Amino acid sequence: MSKEKSKKKGGGVIIFVILLLIILAVLAFLFGNGMLGFGGNSDGGIMPAIGTVSPEAETVSDDTPAETNYIDVTVSEDKYLYNNDTVTIDELIEKIGSFEKECEVHITVSDTATLNAVDDLKAAFDNSGIAYMIIESAEAE
């Protein structure tokens, strides 16, 4: 009779393990395929945009900042680079003022930039009310 009891216990454990594996497989499928809001897409986890593009969409000129709402300015030695052109501070402020949307300026300070050039640019932006952020160059790394 003791052998019969041990067979019953062993059968219950096997059923429990099988049910546990089935539950784990279902959860792995749900999480792995993103059905519960987790997991990735086949395109690297980027969710597709939902919406339509109107045929009358506005065109953006090269001088207008993109959807990111910031522009990049690089200070190298005592020069200011914007759109691969060397510009003066006044030209830069004029271009930024001509944009329809407000934008922030990301100032990349190269290793060769002079402190005076950076300070002059910051002072001009402060006086003009232009938002900016200083980004240190990674040239030395």
Side-chain angles (χ1 to χ4, degrees):
M1 187 149 185
S2 64
K3 285 187 178 185
E4 288 180 16
K5 285 186 178 181
S6 65
K7 283 186 181 181
K8 282 187 176 181
K9 285 184 182 180
V13 171
I14 291 174
I15 292 175
F16 175 76
V17 170
I18 290 173
L19 286 175
L20 184 63
L21 289 174
I22 291 172
I23 291 171
L24 288 175
V26 168
L27 287 175
F29 174 77
L30 291 177
F31 280 100
N33 288 323
M35 291 186 176
L36 293 177
F38 301 104
N41 296 333
S42 61
D43 60 354
I46 300 171
M47 297 298 293
I50 298 174
T52 59
V53 177
S54 92
E56 298 95 26
E58 293 182 27
T59 58
V60 178
S61 72
D62 289 340
D63 284 345
T64 305
E67 294 286 328
T68 54
N69 291 332
Y70 71 88
I71 62 169
D72 291 312
V73 174
T74 301
V75 180
S76 180
E77 296 175 3
D78 60 347
K79 298 176 182 136
Y80 309 104
L81 305 171
Y82 170 67
N83 279 351
N84 295 323
D85 290 327
T86 302
V87 294
T88 65
I89 292 177
D90 292 333
E91 291 172 335
L92 204 56
I93 290 173
E94 183 180 318
K95 285 184 186 228
I96 294 168
S98 70
F99 297 145
E100 291 180 15
K101 295 181 180 178
E102 286 189 29
C103 62
E104 181 177 86
V105 179
H106 289 184
I107 303 172
T108 303
V109 179
S110 74
D111 292 338
T112 60
T114 63
L115 184 59
N116 287 340
V118 175
D119 288 343
D120 290 346
L121 185 61
K122 288 172 26 180
F125 284 168
D126 287 338
N127 291 337
S128 300
I130 297 172
Y132 62 88
M133 178 174 28
I134 303 291
I135 300 172
E136 296 295 325
S137 175
E139 291 176 9
E141 295 175 7

